[in-house]
Short mmCIF file of all heavy atoms in Angstrom, two decimals:
data_model
loop_
_atom_site.label_atom_id
_atom_site.label_comp_id
_atom_site.label_asym_id
_atom_site.label_seq_id
_atom_site.Cartn_x
_atom_site.Cartn_y
_atom_site.Cartn_z
N MET D 222 8.16 -19.29 67.86
CA MET D 222 7.59 -18.64 66.69
C MET D 222 6.10 -18.97 66.57
O MET D 222 5.68 -20.09 66.85
CB MET D 222 8.35 -19.09 65.45
CG MET D 222 7.98 -18.30 64.21
SD MET D 222 9.33 -18.24 63.02
CE MET D 222 10.13 -16.74 63.49
N ALA D 223 5.32 -18.01 66.18
CA ALA D 223 3.87 -18.20 66.11
C ALA D 223 3.49 -19.10 64.94
O ALA D 223 4.17 -19.13 63.92
CB ALA D 223 3.19 -16.85 65.96
N ASP D 224 2.38 -19.83 65.11
CA ASP D 224 1.87 -20.64 64.00
C ASP D 224 1.51 -19.74 62.83
O ASP D 224 1.06 -18.61 63.02
CB ASP D 224 0.60 -21.38 64.44
CG ASP D 224 0.91 -22.54 65.36
OD1 ASP D 224 2.09 -22.80 65.64
OD2 ASP D 224 -0.06 -23.18 65.81
N CYS D 225 1.67 -20.27 61.63
CA CYS D 225 1.23 -19.55 60.44
C CYS D 225 -0.27 -19.31 60.54
O CYS D 225 -1.03 -20.21 60.90
CB CYS D 225 1.55 -20.38 59.19
SG CYS D 225 0.94 -19.63 57.66
N LYS D 226 -0.70 -18.11 60.20
CA LYS D 226 -2.12 -17.81 60.33
C LYS D 226 -2.97 -18.56 59.31
O LYS D 226 -4.19 -18.59 59.42
CB LYS D 226 -2.37 -16.31 60.21
CG LYS D 226 -2.00 -15.69 58.89
CD LYS D 226 -2.21 -14.19 58.94
CE LYS D 226 -1.78 -13.56 57.63
NZ LYS D 226 -1.86 -12.10 57.66
N LEU D 227 -2.32 -19.19 58.33
CA LEU D 227 -3.05 -19.98 57.34
C LEU D 227 -3.19 -21.44 57.73
O LEU D 227 -3.85 -22.21 57.03
CB LEU D 227 -2.33 -19.90 55.98
CG LEU D 227 -2.12 -18.52 55.40
CD1 LEU D 227 -1.34 -18.63 54.09
CD2 LEU D 227 -3.43 -17.81 55.20
N LEU D 228 -2.56 -21.83 58.82
CA LEU D 228 -2.45 -23.26 59.15
C LEU D 228 -3.80 -23.99 59.18
O LEU D 228 -3.93 -25.07 58.63
CB LEU D 228 -1.73 -23.42 60.49
CG LEU D 228 -1.44 -24.86 60.93
CD1 LEU D 228 -0.72 -25.64 59.85
CD2 LEU D 228 -0.62 -24.85 62.21
N LYS D 229 -4.79 -23.39 59.78
CA LYS D 229 -6.09 -24.08 59.91
C LYS D 229 -6.79 -24.27 58.56
O LYS D 229 -7.62 -25.15 58.41
CB LYS D 229 -7.00 -23.32 60.86
CG LYS D 229 -6.58 -23.47 62.32
CD LYS D 229 -7.68 -22.98 63.25
CE LYS D 229 -7.37 -23.30 64.69
NZ LYS D 229 -6.44 -22.36 65.31
N THR D 230 -6.46 -23.42 57.61
CA THR D 230 -7.19 -23.47 56.33
C THR D 230 -6.29 -23.77 55.14
O THR D 230 -6.75 -23.75 54.00
CB THR D 230 -7.91 -22.12 56.07
OG1 THR D 230 -6.93 -21.08 56.12
CG2 THR D 230 -8.98 -21.86 57.11
N CYS D 231 -5.03 -24.07 55.36
CA CYS D 231 -4.10 -24.30 54.26
C CYS D 231 -4.51 -25.56 53.50
O CYS D 231 -4.48 -26.66 54.07
CB CYS D 231 -2.67 -24.43 54.78
SG CYS D 231 -1.43 -24.42 53.47
N ILE D 232 -4.88 -25.41 52.24
CA ILE D 232 -5.39 -26.57 51.50
C ILE D 232 -4.28 -27.57 51.19
O ILE D 232 -4.56 -28.70 50.82
CB ILE D 232 -6.09 -26.16 50.18
CG1 ILE D 232 -5.11 -25.49 49.22
CG2 ILE D 232 -7.30 -25.31 50.44
CD1 ILE D 232 -5.63 -25.43 47.80
N PHE D 233 -3.04 -27.16 51.36
CA PHE D 233 -1.93 -28.07 51.12
C PHE D 233 -2.10 -29.37 51.92
O PHE D 233 -1.87 -30.46 51.42
CB PHE D 233 -0.62 -27.38 51.49
CG PHE D 233 0.58 -28.23 51.29
CD1 PHE D 233 1.05 -28.51 50.01
CD2 PHE D 233 1.27 -28.76 52.37
CE1 PHE D 233 2.16 -29.30 49.81
CE2 PHE D 233 2.39 -29.55 52.18
CZ PHE D 233 2.84 -29.82 50.91
N PHE D 234 -2.56 -29.22 53.14
CA PHE D 234 -2.66 -30.41 54.02
C PHE D 234 -3.88 -31.26 53.73
O PHE D 234 -3.84 -32.47 53.92
CB PHE D 234 -2.61 -29.98 55.49
CG PHE D 234 -1.29 -29.39 55.85
CD1 PHE D 234 -1.14 -28.02 55.98
CD2 PHE D 234 -0.17 -30.19 55.98
CE1 PHE D 234 0.09 -27.46 56.26
CE2 PHE D 234 1.07 -29.65 56.25
CZ PHE D 234 1.19 -28.28 56.39
N SER D 235 -4.95 -30.65 53.26
CA SER D 235 -6.13 -31.45 52.96
C SER D 235 -6.08 -32.01 51.55
O SER D 235 -6.87 -32.87 51.18
CB SER D 235 -7.40 -30.60 53.14
OG SER D 235 -7.32 -29.45 52.34
N ASP D 236 -5.12 -31.52 50.75
CA ASP D 236 -5.04 -31.90 49.34
C ASP D 236 -3.81 -32.77 49.07
O ASP D 236 -3.92 -33.91 48.62
CB ASP D 236 -5.01 -30.61 48.51
CG ASP D 236 -5.06 -30.88 47.02
OD1 ASP D 236 -5.37 -32.01 46.63
OD2 ASP D 236 -4.77 -29.96 46.25
N ARG D 237 -2.63 -32.26 49.37
CA ARG D 237 -1.39 -32.92 48.97
C ARG D 237 -0.79 -33.85 50.02
O ARG D 237 0.10 -34.63 49.70
CB ARG D 237 -0.33 -31.86 48.64
CG ARG D 237 -0.72 -30.93 47.53
CD ARG D 237 -0.72 -31.64 46.20
NE ARG D 237 -1.65 -30.97 45.29
CZ ARG D 237 -1.79 -31.29 44.02
NH1 ARG D 237 -1.11 -32.28 43.50
NH2 ARG D 237 -2.65 -30.66 43.27
N MET D 238 -1.21 -33.76 51.24
CA MET D 238 -0.57 -34.53 52.31
C MET D 238 -1.45 -35.67 52.82
O MET D 238 -1.11 -36.31 53.81
CB MET D 238 -0.22 -33.60 53.48
CG MET D 238 0.91 -32.64 53.20
SD MET D 238 2.56 -33.45 53.24
CE MET D 238 2.96 -33.49 51.53
N VAL D 239 -2.55 -35.93 52.12
CA VAL D 239 -3.44 -37.01 52.53
C VAL D 239 -2.68 -38.34 52.50
O VAL D 239 -2.01 -38.66 51.53
CB VAL D 239 -4.68 -37.08 51.61
CG1 VAL D 239 -5.54 -38.29 51.92
CG2 VAL D 239 -5.50 -35.80 51.75
N GLY D 240 -2.75 -39.09 53.57
CA GLY D 240 -2.09 -40.38 53.64
C GLY D 240 -0.61 -40.29 53.97
O GLY D 240 0.09 -41.31 53.95
N MET D 241 -0.12 -39.10 54.26
CA MET D 241 1.30 -38.93 54.60
C MET D 241 1.42 -38.14 55.92
O MET D 241 2.01 -37.04 55.93
CB MET D 241 2.04 -38.20 53.47
CG MET D 241 2.08 -38.99 52.18
SD MET D 241 3.13 -38.21 50.94
CE MET D 241 2.04 -36.94 50.32
N PRO D 242 0.87 -38.66 56.98
CA PRO D 242 0.84 -37.88 58.23
C PRO D 242 2.22 -37.52 58.78
O PRO D 242 2.40 -36.43 59.32
CB PRO D 242 0.08 -38.78 59.20
CG PRO D 242 0.18 -40.16 58.62
CD PRO D 242 0.25 -39.98 57.14
N LYS D 243 3.20 -38.40 58.60
CA LYS D 243 4.54 -38.09 59.14
C LYS D 243 5.19 -36.95 58.36
O LYS D 243 5.80 -36.04 58.94
CB LYS D 243 5.45 -39.33 59.09
CG LYS D 243 5.10 -40.32 60.17
CD LYS D 243 6.18 -41.34 60.34
CE LYS D 243 5.82 -42.21 61.54
NZ LYS D 243 6.41 -43.52 61.48
N THR D 244 5.06 -36.99 57.04
CA THR D 244 5.60 -35.90 56.22
C THR D 244 4.87 -34.60 56.54
O THR D 244 5.49 -33.54 56.65
CB THR D 244 5.44 -36.25 54.72
OG1 THR D 244 6.04 -37.51 54.48
CG2 THR D 244 6.12 -35.20 53.85
N ALA D 245 3.55 -34.69 56.69
CA ALA D 245 2.77 -33.49 57.01
C ALA D 245 3.24 -32.89 58.33
O ALA D 245 3.39 -31.67 58.45
CB ALA D 245 1.28 -33.84 57.08
N ASP D 246 3.50 -33.75 59.31
CA ASP D 246 3.97 -33.24 60.61
C ASP D 246 5.33 -32.57 60.48
O ASP D 246 5.59 -31.55 61.12
CB ASP D 246 4.05 -34.38 61.63
CG ASP D 246 2.67 -34.75 62.15
OD1 ASP D 246 1.71 -33.99 61.90
OD2 ASP D 246 2.56 -35.80 62.81
N MET D 247 6.21 -33.15 59.65
CA MET D 247 7.53 -32.55 59.46
C MET D 247 7.42 -31.18 58.80
O MET D 247 8.11 -30.23 59.19
CB MET D 247 8.42 -33.47 58.61
CG MET D 247 8.99 -34.63 59.40
SD MET D 247 9.76 -35.94 58.40
CE MET D 247 10.56 -35.09 57.11
N VAL D 248 6.56 -31.09 57.80
CA VAL D 248 6.35 -29.80 57.12
C VAL D 248 5.80 -28.78 58.09
O VAL D 248 6.26 -27.63 58.15
CB VAL D 248 5.40 -29.98 55.91
CG1 VAL D 248 4.98 -28.62 55.35
CG2 VAL D 248 6.06 -30.81 54.82
N LYS D 249 4.82 -29.20 58.88
CA LYS D 249 4.21 -28.27 59.85
C LYS D 249 5.25 -27.77 60.85
O LYS D 249 5.29 -26.58 61.17
CB LYS D 249 3.08 -28.97 60.61
CG LYS D 249 1.80 -29.02 59.83
CD LYS D 249 0.68 -29.64 60.64
CE LYS D 249 -0.51 -29.91 59.75
NZ LYS D 249 -1.52 -30.74 60.35
N GLU D 250 6.07 -28.70 61.32
CA GLU D 250 7.07 -28.31 62.31
C GLU D 250 8.07 -27.32 61.72
O GLU D 250 8.44 -26.33 62.35
CB GLU D 250 7.78 -29.56 62.82
CG GLU D 250 8.54 -29.33 64.10
CD GLU D 250 9.10 -30.63 64.65
OE1 GLU D 250 8.34 -31.63 64.71
OE2 GLU D 250 10.28 -30.65 64.99
N LYS D 251 8.49 -27.59 60.48
CA LYS D 251 9.53 -26.75 59.86
C LYS D 251 8.99 -25.39 59.44
O LYS D 251 9.63 -24.36 59.66
CB LYS D 251 10.13 -27.46 58.65
CG LYS D 251 11.19 -26.62 57.96
CD LYS D 251 11.95 -27.40 56.91
CE LYS D 251 13.01 -26.51 56.28
NZ LYS D 251 13.76 -27.17 55.25
N TYR D 252 7.85 -25.39 58.79
CA TYR D 252 7.33 -24.14 58.20
C TYR D 252 6.18 -23.52 59.00
O TYR D 252 6.24 -22.36 59.36
CB TYR D 252 6.85 -24.38 56.77
CG TYR D 252 7.93 -24.83 55.82
CD1 TYR D 252 8.07 -26.15 55.47
CD2 TYR D 252 8.82 -23.90 55.28
CE1 TYR D 252 9.07 -26.57 54.59
CE2 TYR D 252 9.82 -24.31 54.40
CZ TYR D 252 9.94 -25.64 54.06
OH TYR D 252 10.92 -26.06 53.20
N CYS D 253 5.15 -24.31 59.22
CA CYS D 253 3.91 -23.73 59.75
C CYS D 253 4.04 -23.32 61.22
O CYS D 253 3.41 -22.37 61.65
CB CYS D 253 2.77 -24.74 59.62
SG CYS D 253 2.76 -25.60 58.05
N GLN D 254 4.86 -24.07 61.96
CA GLN D 254 5.06 -23.73 63.36
C GLN D 254 6.48 -23.23 63.57
O GLN D 254 6.93 -23.04 64.69
CB GLN D 254 4.79 -24.95 64.25
CG GLN D 254 3.34 -25.40 64.12
CD GLN D 254 3.09 -26.79 64.66
OE1 GLN D 254 3.96 -27.67 64.61
NE2 GLN D 254 1.89 -27.01 65.17
N GLY D 255 7.18 -23.04 62.49
CA GLY D 255 8.55 -22.53 62.54
C GLY D 255 8.63 -21.20 61.82
O GLY D 255 7.83 -20.30 62.07
N ASP D 256 9.55 -21.12 60.85
CA ASP D 256 9.72 -19.87 60.14
C ASP D 256 8.87 -19.89 58.88
O ASP D 256 9.32 -20.33 57.82
CB ASP D 256 11.19 -19.66 59.79
CG ASP D 256 11.43 -18.29 59.20
OD1 ASP D 256 10.46 -17.52 59.03
OD2 ASP D 256 12.61 -17.97 58.93
N ASN D 257 7.63 -19.41 58.96
CA ASN D 257 6.77 -19.49 57.77
C ASN D 257 7.16 -18.48 56.69
O ASN D 257 6.67 -18.54 55.57
CB ASN D 257 5.27 -19.41 58.10
CG ASN D 257 4.97 -18.44 59.20
OD1 ASN D 257 5.20 -17.26 59.06
ND2 ASN D 257 4.48 -18.95 60.31
N SER D 258 8.10 -17.59 56.98
CA SER D 258 8.59 -16.71 55.91
C SER D 258 9.42 -17.51 54.90
O SER D 258 9.70 -17.06 53.80
CB SER D 258 9.42 -15.56 56.47
OG SER D 258 10.65 -16.04 56.98
N GLU D 259 9.82 -18.74 55.28
CA GLU D 259 10.58 -19.61 54.39
C GLU D 259 9.67 -20.51 53.56
O GLU D 259 10.15 -21.31 52.76
CB GLU D 259 11.53 -20.49 55.19
CG GLU D 259 12.61 -19.72 55.93
CD GLU D 259 13.63 -19.12 54.97
OE1 GLU D 259 14.07 -19.83 54.07
OE2 GLU D 259 13.94 -17.93 55.13
N CYS D 260 8.36 -20.43 53.77
CA CYS D 260 7.41 -21.30 53.05
C CYS D 260 7.04 -20.66 51.71
O CYS D 260 6.61 -19.50 51.65
CB CYS D 260 6.16 -21.50 53.88
SG CYS D 260 4.84 -22.37 52.98
N ALA D 261 7.20 -21.44 50.64
CA ALA D 261 6.89 -20.93 49.30
C ALA D 261 5.42 -20.54 49.19
O ALA D 261 5.08 -19.53 48.57
CB ALA D 261 7.23 -22.01 48.26
N ARG D 262 4.54 -21.32 49.79
CA ARG D 262 3.10 -21.01 49.74
C ARG D 262 2.82 -19.70 50.45
O ARG D 262 2.02 -18.88 49.99
CB ARG D 262 2.28 -22.14 50.36
CG ARG D 262 2.42 -23.48 49.66
CD ARG D 262 1.48 -24.52 50.27
NE ARG D 262 0.09 -24.17 50.13
CZ ARG D 262 -0.63 -24.38 49.02
NH1 ARG D 262 -0.08 -24.97 47.97
NH2 ARG D 262 -1.89 -24.02 48.97
N HIS D 263 3.45 -19.52 51.59
CA HIS D 263 3.24 -18.30 52.37
C HIS D 263 3.77 -17.09 51.60
O HIS D 263 3.13 -16.02 51.59
CB HIS D 263 3.95 -18.45 53.73
CG HIS D 263 3.53 -17.43 54.73
ND1 HIS D 263 4.27 -16.30 54.97
CD2 HIS D 263 2.44 -17.36 55.52
CE1 HIS D 263 3.65 -15.57 55.90
NE2 HIS D 263 2.54 -16.19 56.25
N MET D 264 4.90 -17.25 50.93
CA MET D 264 5.48 -16.14 50.16
C MET D 264 4.50 -15.66 49.09
O MET D 264 4.29 -14.45 48.92
CB MET D 264 6.78 -16.60 49.47
CG MET D 264 7.96 -16.76 50.40
SD MET D 264 9.35 -17.59 49.60
CE MET D 264 9.79 -16.41 48.35
N VAL D 265 3.91 -16.61 48.36
CA VAL D 265 2.97 -16.23 47.29
C VAL D 265 1.70 -15.62 47.90
O VAL D 265 1.17 -14.62 47.39
CB VAL D 265 2.63 -17.44 46.40
CG1 VAL D 265 1.59 -17.06 45.35
CG2 VAL D 265 3.89 -17.97 45.72
N PHE D 266 1.25 -16.19 49.01
CA PHE D 266 0.05 -15.65 49.67
C PHE D 266 0.25 -14.20 50.07
O PHE D 266 -0.59 -13.34 49.80
CB PHE D 266 -0.26 -16.50 50.92
CG PHE D 266 -1.25 -15.84 51.84
CD1 PHE D 266 -2.60 -15.81 51.53
CD2 PHE D 266 -0.83 -15.25 53.02
CE1 PHE D 266 -3.50 -15.18 52.37
CE2 PHE D 266 -1.72 -14.62 53.87
CZ PHE D 266 -3.07 -14.59 53.55
N ILE D 267 1.38 -13.90 50.68
CA ILE D 267 1.64 -12.54 51.15
C ILE D 267 1.73 -11.56 49.98
O ILE D 267 1.18 -10.46 50.02
CB ILE D 267 2.95 -12.49 51.97
CG1 ILE D 267 2.80 -13.26 53.28
CG2 ILE D 267 3.41 -11.06 52.23
CD1 ILE D 267 1.80 -12.65 54.24
N ALA D 268 2.39 -11.97 48.90
CA ALA D 268 2.62 -11.05 47.79
C ALA D 268 1.44 -10.95 46.83
O ALA D 268 1.20 -9.88 46.26
CB ALA D 268 3.87 -11.49 47.02
N CYS D 269 0.70 -12.04 46.65
CA CYS D 269 -0.30 -12.08 45.57
C CYS D 269 -1.72 -12.40 46.04
O CYS D 269 -2.66 -12.26 45.27
CB CYS D 269 0.09 -13.12 44.53
SG CYS D 269 1.75 -12.95 43.89
N GLY D 270 -1.87 -12.92 47.25
CA GLY D 270 -3.19 -13.30 47.72
C GLY D 270 -3.41 -14.80 47.62
O GLY D 270 -2.76 -15.49 46.84
N ARG D 271 -4.35 -15.27 48.42
CA ARG D 271 -4.61 -16.70 48.54
C ARG D 271 -4.96 -17.35 47.21
O ARG D 271 -4.55 -18.48 46.92
CB ARG D 271 -5.75 -16.91 49.53
CG ARG D 271 -6.08 -18.36 49.81
CD ARG D 271 -7.27 -18.46 50.73
NE ARG D 271 -7.00 -17.99 52.07
CZ ARG D 271 -6.66 -18.78 53.08
NH1 ARG D 271 -6.54 -20.08 52.89
NH2 ARG D 271 -6.43 -18.29 54.26
N GLU D 272 -5.74 -16.66 46.37
CA GLU D 272 -6.20 -17.27 45.13
C GLU D 272 -5.08 -17.52 44.13
O GLU D 272 -5.24 -18.28 43.18
CB GLU D 272 -7.33 -16.44 44.50
CG GLU D 272 -6.91 -15.06 44.00
CD GLU D 272 -6.75 -14.02 45.11
OE1 GLU D 272 -7.06 -14.32 46.28
OE2 GLU D 272 -6.30 -12.91 44.81
N LYS D 273 -3.94 -16.91 44.34
CA LYS D 273 -2.80 -17.10 43.42
C LYS D 273 -1.85 -18.21 43.87
O LYS D 273 -0.86 -18.49 43.19
CB LYS D 273 -1.99 -15.81 43.31
CG LYS D 273 -2.78 -14.64 42.75
CD LYS D 273 -3.04 -14.81 41.28
CE LYS D 273 -3.69 -13.57 40.71
NZ LYS D 273 -4.35 -13.77 39.45
N VAL D 274 -2.13 -18.84 44.99
CA VAL D 274 -1.25 -19.90 45.47
C VAL D 274 -1.65 -21.21 44.79
O VAL D 274 -2.75 -21.71 45.01
CB VAL D 274 -1.34 -20.08 47.01
CG1 VAL D 274 -0.37 -21.15 47.47
CG2 VAL D 274 -1.07 -18.75 47.72
N PRO D 275 -0.79 -21.77 43.93
CA PRO D 275 -1.15 -23.02 43.25
C PRO D 275 -1.34 -24.15 44.26
O PRO D 275 -0.59 -24.25 45.23
CB PRO D 275 0.07 -23.31 42.36
CG PRO D 275 0.81 -22.02 42.25
CD PRO D 275 0.54 -21.29 43.54
N SER D 276 -2.32 -25.00 44.02
CA SER D 276 -2.60 -26.07 44.98
C SER D 276 -1.42 -27.05 45.07
O SER D 276 -1.23 -27.71 46.08
CB SER D 276 -3.88 -26.82 44.61
OG SER D 276 -3.73 -27.47 43.37
N ASP D 277 -0.64 -27.14 43.98
CA ASP D 277 0.46 -28.10 43.98
C ASP D 277 1.80 -27.48 44.37
O ASP D 277 2.84 -28.10 44.19
CB ASP D 277 0.58 -28.76 42.61
CG ASP D 277 0.93 -27.78 41.49
OD1 ASP D 277 0.86 -26.55 41.72
OD2 ASP D 277 1.27 -28.25 40.39
N LEU D 278 1.77 -26.26 44.90
CA LEU D 278 3.03 -25.63 45.33
C LEU D 278 3.41 -26.16 46.71
O LEU D 278 2.66 -26.00 47.68
CB LEU D 278 2.85 -24.10 45.37
CG LEU D 278 4.08 -23.30 45.79
CD1 LEU D 278 5.21 -23.45 44.77
CD2 LEU D 278 3.73 -21.81 45.96
N PHE D 279 4.57 -26.79 46.80
CA PHE D 279 5.04 -27.32 48.07
C PHE D 279 5.78 -26.24 48.85
O PHE D 279 6.41 -25.36 48.24
CB PHE D 279 5.96 -28.53 47.83
CG PHE D 279 5.23 -29.81 47.62
CD1 PHE D 279 4.36 -29.97 46.55
CD2 PHE D 279 5.40 -30.89 48.49
CE1 PHE D 279 3.66 -31.15 46.35
CE2 PHE D 279 4.71 -32.07 48.30
CZ PHE D 279 3.84 -32.21 47.24
N PRO D 280 5.73 -26.29 50.16
CA PRO D 280 6.38 -25.26 50.97
C PRO D 280 7.86 -25.08 50.66
O PRO D 280 8.39 -23.97 50.77
CB PRO D 280 6.18 -25.76 52.41
CG PRO D 280 4.90 -26.53 52.34
CD PRO D 280 4.94 -27.22 51.00
N GLY D 281 8.54 -26.15 50.25
CA GLY D 281 9.97 -26.04 49.98
C GLY D 281 10.32 -25.51 48.59
O GLY D 281 11.50 -25.34 48.27
N GLN D 282 9.31 -25.26 47.76
CA GLN D 282 9.57 -24.85 46.37
C GLN D 282 9.75 -23.33 46.26
O GLN D 282 9.00 -22.64 45.56
CB GLN D 282 8.43 -25.34 45.46
CG GLN D 282 8.42 -26.86 45.33
CD GLN D 282 7.32 -27.34 44.39
OE1 GLN D 282 6.16 -27.00 44.57
NE2 GLN D 282 7.70 -28.13 43.40
N ILE D 283 10.81 -22.87 46.88
CA ILE D 283 11.08 -21.43 46.92
C ILE D 283 11.34 -20.87 45.52
O ILE D 283 10.87 -19.77 45.18
CB ILE D 283 12.31 -21.14 47.83
CG1 ILE D 283 12.01 -21.55 49.26
CG2 ILE D 283 12.73 -19.68 47.75
CD1 ILE D 283 10.93 -20.74 49.94
N GLU D 284 12.06 -21.62 44.69
CA GLU D 284 12.35 -21.12 43.33
C GLU D 284 11.07 -20.95 42.52
O GLU D 284 10.91 -19.96 41.79
CB GLU D 284 13.31 -22.07 42.60
CG GLU D 284 14.74 -21.99 43.10
CD GLU D 284 15.31 -20.57 43.04
OE1 GLU D 284 15.10 -19.89 42.03
OE2 GLU D 284 15.95 -20.15 44.02
N LYS D 285 10.15 -21.88 42.67
CA LYS D 285 8.87 -21.79 41.96
C LYS D 285 8.09 -20.57 42.46
O LYS D 285 7.48 -19.84 41.68
CB LYS D 285 8.07 -23.08 42.17
CG LYS D 285 6.89 -23.21 41.26
CD LYS D 285 6.30 -24.62 41.37
CE LYS D 285 4.99 -24.71 40.60
NZ LYS D 285 4.37 -26.03 40.73
N ALA D 286 8.14 -20.35 43.76
CA ALA D 286 7.47 -19.17 44.34
C ALA D 286 8.09 -17.89 43.78
O ALA D 286 7.37 -16.95 43.43
CB ALA D 286 7.57 -19.20 45.86
N ARG D 287 9.40 -17.87 43.68
CA ARG D 287 10.06 -16.67 43.15
C ARG D 287 9.66 -16.42 41.70
O ARG D 287 9.50 -15.28 41.28
CB ARG D 287 11.59 -16.81 43.28
CG ARG D 287 12.04 -16.70 44.72
CD ARG D 287 13.53 -16.42 44.84
NE ARG D 287 13.89 -16.29 46.24
CZ ARG D 287 14.73 -17.08 46.88
NH1 ARG D 287 15.37 -18.03 46.24
NH2 ARG D 287 14.98 -16.90 48.16
N ASP D 288 9.51 -17.50 40.91
CA ASP D 288 9.06 -17.35 39.53
C ASP D 288 7.67 -16.74 39.49
O ASP D 288 7.37 -15.86 38.67
CB ASP D 288 9.02 -18.72 38.82
CG ASP D 288 10.41 -19.22 38.47
OD1 ASP D 288 11.36 -18.42 38.56
OD2 ASP D 288 10.53 -20.40 38.12
N ILE D 289 6.78 -17.22 40.38
CA ILE D 289 5.41 -16.68 40.42
C ILE D 289 5.46 -15.20 40.78
O ILE D 289 4.79 -14.38 40.16
CB ILE D 289 4.56 -17.48 41.44
CG1 ILE D 289 4.36 -18.91 40.95
CG2 ILE D 289 3.21 -16.78 41.67
CD1 ILE D 289 3.78 -19.85 41.99
N LEU D 290 6.27 -14.86 41.77
CA LEU D 290 6.36 -13.45 42.19
C LEU D 290 6.96 -12.59 41.09
O LEU D 290 6.53 -11.44 40.89
CB LEU D 290 7.19 -13.33 43.47
CG LEU D 290 6.69 -14.08 44.70
CD1 LEU D 290 7.44 -13.64 45.94
CD2 LEU D 290 5.21 -13.91 44.91
N ALA D 291 7.93 -13.14 40.35
CA ALA D 291 8.56 -12.37 39.28
C ALA D 291 7.60 -12.09 38.14
O ALA D 291 7.73 -11.09 37.44
CB ALA D 291 9.79 -13.11 38.77
N ASN D 292 6.61 -12.98 37.97
CA ASN D 292 5.67 -12.84 36.84
C ASN D 292 4.35 -12.22 37.25
O ASN D 292 3.44 -12.13 36.43
CB ASN D 292 5.42 -14.22 36.22
CG ASN D 292 6.66 -14.72 35.51
OD1 ASN D 292 7.33 -13.98 34.82
ND2 ASN D 292 6.99 -15.98 35.72
N LYS D 293 4.22 -11.82 38.51
CA LYS D 293 2.93 -11.24 38.92
C LYS D 293 2.76 -9.86 38.31
O LYS D 293 3.74 -9.15 38.05
CB LYS D 293 2.81 -11.18 40.44
CG LYS D 293 3.53 -10.02 41.09
CD LYS D 293 3.17 -9.93 42.55
CE LYS D 293 3.85 -8.71 43.14
NZ LYS D 293 3.29 -8.23 44.34
N LYS D 294 1.53 -9.52 38.07
CA LYS D 294 1.26 -8.22 37.45
C LYS D 294 1.05 -7.17 38.52
O LYS D 294 0.55 -7.43 39.56
CB LYS D 294 0.04 -8.31 36.55
CG LYS D 294 0.33 -9.16 35.35
CD LYS D 294 -0.86 -9.18 34.40
CE LYS D 294 -0.56 -10.08 33.22
NZ LYS D 294 -1.73 -10.41 32.46
S1 LIG N 32 2.24 -24.73 54.35
FE1 LIG N 32 2.99 -22.63 54.40
S2 LIG N 32 1.15 -21.39 53.97
FE2 LIG N 32 0.43 -23.42 54.58
S3 LIG N 32 0.10 -23.24 56.79
FE3 LIG N 32 2.18 -24.02 56.48
S4 LIG N 32 3.52 -22.20 56.52
FE4 LIG N 32 1.41 -21.52 56.19
#
């Protein structure tokens, strides 16, 4: 599976994963280099655009992503 096209610029890793390199690697393997359609951040990006992706949204927070998508205008 192709890397997520946001991987190089995804602020999640420069913001929320600082000091947690092992967790960051696990997330990258599962979502960014795996099935990024399962990533909550990617879901919001595709539907609403980069500026609507909350900085504190974790890739596994699918329910939170669905709430954002349900409330988008
Ligand atoms: S966390 Fe999600 S949006 Fe960010 S690079 Fe990985 S798959 Fe893409």
Side-chain angles (χ1 to χ4, degrees):
M222 190 152 267
D224 286 358
C225 176
K226 63 184 177 185
L227 303 178
L228 184 53
K229 286 193 171 81
T230 56
C231 190
I232 63 164
F233 180 73
F234 294 103
S235 56
D236 185 14
R237 301 289 154 175
M238 289 284 107
V239 173
M241 296 187 280
K243 285 194 174 155
T244 306
D246 283 348
M247 282 168 38
V248 170
K249 280 183 190 169
E250 197 174 313
K251 179 171 181 181
Y252 297 101
C253 318
Q254 297 164 329
D256 187 358
N257 38 63
S258 70
E259 295 291 314
C260 172
R262 298 185 63 82
H263 194 261
M264 287 169 65
V265 176
F266 166 76
I267 292 295
C269 307
R271 183 184 292 264
E272 67 282 354
K273 299 288 187 199
V274 182
S276 64
D277 64 347
L278 181 65
F279 276 62
Q282 291 182 306
I283 297 294
E284 287 304 316
K285 192 170 172 182
R287 288 197 179 118
D288 285 348
I289 293 168
L290 300 192
N292 291 317
K293 80 170 183 160
K294 291 184 182 166

